[in-house]
Amino acid sequence: MRFAVIGDIHGFWDERDTAFFEASDYDALLFVGDLPRLANHREVAGELARLTKPAWLMPGNHDGVTAPQLLAEIKGWHLLRRLTAIGMTRRVRRLETAIGNVRLTGYALHDLGDGLGMLAARPHAMGPDKFYYGHYMRRRFGIRGYHDSADLLRRLVDDAPEDLIVLAHNGPAGLGDAPEDPWGCDFSDEFGDFGDPDLEAALEHARDSGRRVHALVAGHMHHQRKRGGGRRTSARRHDTLYVNAASVPRIRDGGARRHHVALTVDTDGARAETVIVNADGDVVERTPLPEESP
């Protein structure tokens, strides 16, 4: 099966992208989250709603939230986190309606056909330093922290087929603590590995229970680091291909270069390549992703 993995959009999506992916030969589209530039998803969501090809969206930390709520979560302002969480359930439902046939997901299993399943990880993930959007996660999923989240993901794995891919917003812990690593922290010396521990626990459980996790796709930690330089965008560990698709902005050079990742999964495993498309919908560049071990 062939999937298009679209990294953090942050407002960079238009009718040319819709036309390209709608006409493509991909079996499905996987969006790793963060549709708006900050917190207003309307413009991008309206364009995504024109898609009819099978597609899933894992909501990121910018999706279904307000700007004050996002700031309160980042700063850890406890009272404001509680107050701004009011209405998040309604906002997420509005997002789900706005994206049309694109399926909003999180804490779920999906059957992709041909014996391949997809595990959707924790939605709205933002990093391991605190349990973000905790008030919403408790109301919506009954999850009170990383331990509960890991338990829920393990239970989903128990119901999953032997062959899996994983869709997440933030990546898992365990792939390196340097800023240039796929989910290494690039904005503070206080943190190193900024991957999610509950997601790594689910992957470990999948391996221990005999599942084959062919690939994990996520974003969140942008390719261009905040303090300059780039990051490794892929790795292979325990026979799983990890892909960070968060090229931000994904549209560059006045619309002439549009980024996504092509993921292929077959009986031999998973492989991926960076694909650059121009404004006319022509593929102008394909670059296989390296598969360095962390």
Side-chain angles (χ1 to χ4, degrees), residues 139-191:
R139 287 196 300 267
R140 174 66 179 82
F141 300 104
I143 300 298
R144 295 180 176 272
Y146 289 110
H147 184 272
D148 287 350
S149 180
D151 283 346
L152 177 51
L153 291 172
R154 290 189 191 101
R155 292 197 297 273
L156 289 168
V157 167
D158 287 339
D159 292 331
E162 291 185 2
D163 292 283
L164 279 173
I165 64 173
V166 179
L167 174 63
H169 178 59
N170 191 31
L175 292 173
D177 57 7
E180 63 270 17
D181 287 326
W183 286 280
C185 185
D186 62 339
F187 56 84
S188 172
D189 295 331
E190 181 181 356
F191 310 109

Side-chain angles (χ1 to χ4, degrees), residues 59-76:
N61 53 293
H62 286 259
D63 297 315
V65 305
T66 64
Q69 182 185 11
L70 179 61
L71 179 63
E73 292 288 335
I74 292 172
K75 295 295 187 180

Side-chain angles (χ1 to χ4, degrees), residues 244-265:
N244 178 340
S247 177
V248 180
R250 61 166 297 272
I251 300 178
R252 301 171 188 261
D253 297 344
R257 294 178 63 84
R258 297 157 183 265
H259 175 280
H260 72 276
V261 172
L263 173 69
T264 301
V265 180

